[in-house]
Amino acid sequence: MIVQDKNIIREITPLSEKDCFYIADRRKTEFTYPMHCHKEFELNFVINAPGVQRIVGDSAEIIGDYDLVLITSPDLEHVWEQHECKSCDVREITIQFSPQFMKTLLATNQFDRVTKMFDKAQNGLCFPMPAIMKVYSLLDGLPDTKGFYAVTRFLTLLYELSMFTDEARVLSSSSFARIEQHSDSRRVQKVQDFINRHYKEEIRLNQLADMVGMTEVSFSRFFKLRTGKTLQDYITDIRLGYALRMLVDTTMSIAEICYESGFNNLSNFNRIFKKKKMVSPKDFRANYKKKRILI
């Protein structure tokens, strides 16, 4: 069941308060479900659907024969849509489970890895092929497993996937997904918090280096080592995420969004946007809003 609230489609899942999780194992020839979000965590596995377009937040990618994604944010919109898929024998396994079911377990040392995976999956997390091969038998057999053993199999599945958290790829940008970023490094966290508060303003390298008591060269190396991005790329991605969110949620003009998200040049904004998203801001807005419409 789906309901629409301010152009956001929220799914009401079949998961009851007495169930640990809900699983749907479907054989299908096409993808027709609209873009949506829901409060439950979701693990979605798609087999034999090359050419399908997966959209999670501001990420849009064409999938191959296997696709496994975990989403743990209640407001992160997502959809798998037909696009160029010609397969007539698609299998989709969707597992939805309540955060409350996992709450006590996630507070234990034994589930520390799973906790980190769930935190990362707030942006949508796409698992690499080695992870899929590792858990394939667990996923394949789970729909036919009942009762207590279904729960233990499911928890084993989550634990095995958590071993690949570092290799798994984050999909949506944090600023678009409205997720606060957390770093193990207090210095990186301090810089990230500053950027999130001041992304509309000019941010200089020497300003951030002084903030954490490092030279510019040392800070640049340290920041890239910790985040996987150069400082400039990181700031650009933060600003772009806010711009994408405004394109989706407001009626502001492209020029207004450009300056409101911290870009000080419209032509530069359009160039960066098209390079990152492969479409213009205007086309992104039109395509995204079209997919949000309840059908």
Side-chain angles (χ1 to χ4, degrees):
M1 178 179 177
I2 54 180
V3 295
Q4 189 168 4
D5 178 22
K6 296 181 180 179
N7 292 324
I8 299 175
I9 296 173
R10 292 193 176 275
E11 179 184 8
I12 300 176
T13 68
L15 186 68
S16 76
E17 293 182 357
K18 294 186 177 181
D19 290 323
C20 295
F21 62 89
Y22 163 78
I23 185 166
D25 186 5
R26 310 179 186 92
R27 298 281 181 174
K28 56 203 297 184
T29 58
E30 60 180 339
F31 290 78
T32 58
Y33 206 77
M35 185 177 289
H36 62 284
C37 60
H38 42 74
K39 63 181 181 179
E40 290 81 11
F41 293 175
E42 178 176 294
L43 183 66
N44 201 55
F45 184 40
V46 180
I47 313 171
N48 194 33
V52 159
Q53 184 176 53
R54 180 212 329 111
I55 299 175
V56 177
D58 58 354
S59 166
E61 298 178 343
I62 308 301
I63 71 171
D65 290 320
Y66 298 89
D67 189 58
L68 180 60
V69 169
L70 176 65
I71 298 171
T72 60
S73 170
D75 298 313
L76 188 59
E77 295 165 86
H78 52 278
V79 67
W80 278 254
E81 60 174 15
Q82 194 69 22
H83 197 56
E84 298 175 350
C85 179
K86 305 298 183 183
S87 175
C88 295
D89 184 25
V90 175
R91 186 184 185 191
E92 183 178 36
I93 300 175
T94 302
I95 307 171
Q96 294 175 332
F97 52 106
S98 168
Q100 287 301 117
F101 161 58
M102 299 297 302
K103 186 175 181 179
T104 302
L105 293 175
L106 295 178
T108 66
N109 292 331
Q110 289 75 17
F111 276 78
D112 182 56
R113 286 180 178 271
V114 178
T115 301
K116 290 179 180 178
M117 177 178 70
F118 283 179
D119 285 343
K120 196 172 179 180
Q122 291 182 86
N123 299 67
L125 201 57
C126 180
F127 291 95
M129 187 56 69
I132 294 175
M133 293 298 99
K134 178 72 175 179
V135 303
Y136 181 84
S137 61
L138 290 168
L139 275 167
D140 182 52
L142 188 58
D144 296 323
T145 309
K146 307 300 179 184
F148 174 80
Y149 292 107
V151 178
T152 59
R153 190 184 191 105
F154 175 57
L155 293 178
T156 301
L157 166 63
L158 292 178
Y159 184 76
E160 292 292 347
L161 281 178
S162 73
M163 298 297 182
F164 295 88
T165 300
D166 292 339
E167 293 88 347
R169 187 164 47 83
V170 168
L171 296 176
S172 181
S173 64
S174 294
S175 45
F176 183 91
R178 302 189 184 100
I179 303 299
E180 292 186 8
Q181 294 185 303
H182 299 284
S183 172
D184 293 335
S185 166
R186 284 179 293 178
R187 286 181 290 187
V188 170
Q189 186 67 59
K190 186 175 182 179
V191 169
Q192 289 176 328
D193 290 343
F194 181 86
I195 293 171
N196 277 321
R197 292 195 307 271
H198 300 279
Y199 67 90
K200 297 181 184 180
E201 307 163 17
E202 182 180 6
I203 301 175
R204 296 182 178 276
L205 171 61
N206 62 343
Q207 179 184 19
L208 300 180
D210 288 344
M211 185 187 301
V212 293
M214 301 176 71
T215 66
E216 293 179 24
V217 173
S218 296
F219 172 71
S220 294
R221 291 173 179 168
F222 175 75
F223 189 84
K224 185 172 184 180
L225 180 66
R226 290 286 185 160
T227 66
K229 298 179 181 179
T230 66
L231 177 63
Q232 188 55 57
D233 284 344
Y234 181 87
I235 294 173
T236 296
D237 287 347
I238 290 292
R239 288 171 172 162
L240 195 60
Y242 282 112
L244 288 158
R245 177 51 66 184
M246 283 185 276
L247 284 168
V248 169
D249 290 341
T250 76
T251 58
M252 295 168 63
S253 70
I254 304 298
E256 287 175 318
I257 289 173
C258 163
Y259 296 108
E260 189 66 20
S261 57
F263 294 93
N264 56 14
N265 182 285
L266 183 57
S267 61
N268 188 47
F269 170 67
N270 285 321
R271 179 183 59 80
I272 291 173
F273 194 103
K274 193 161 188 177
K275 181 181 178 181
K276 293 277 189 178
K277 294 298 171 185
M278 307 305 292
V279 294
S280 68
K282 180 180 178 181
D283 289 341
F284 177 88
R285 168 180 266 170
N287 293 337
Y288 204 97
K289 288 194 173 183
K290 187 188 302 180
K291 293 177 177 66
R292 281 177 128 184
I293 296 173
L294 181 60
I295 56 175

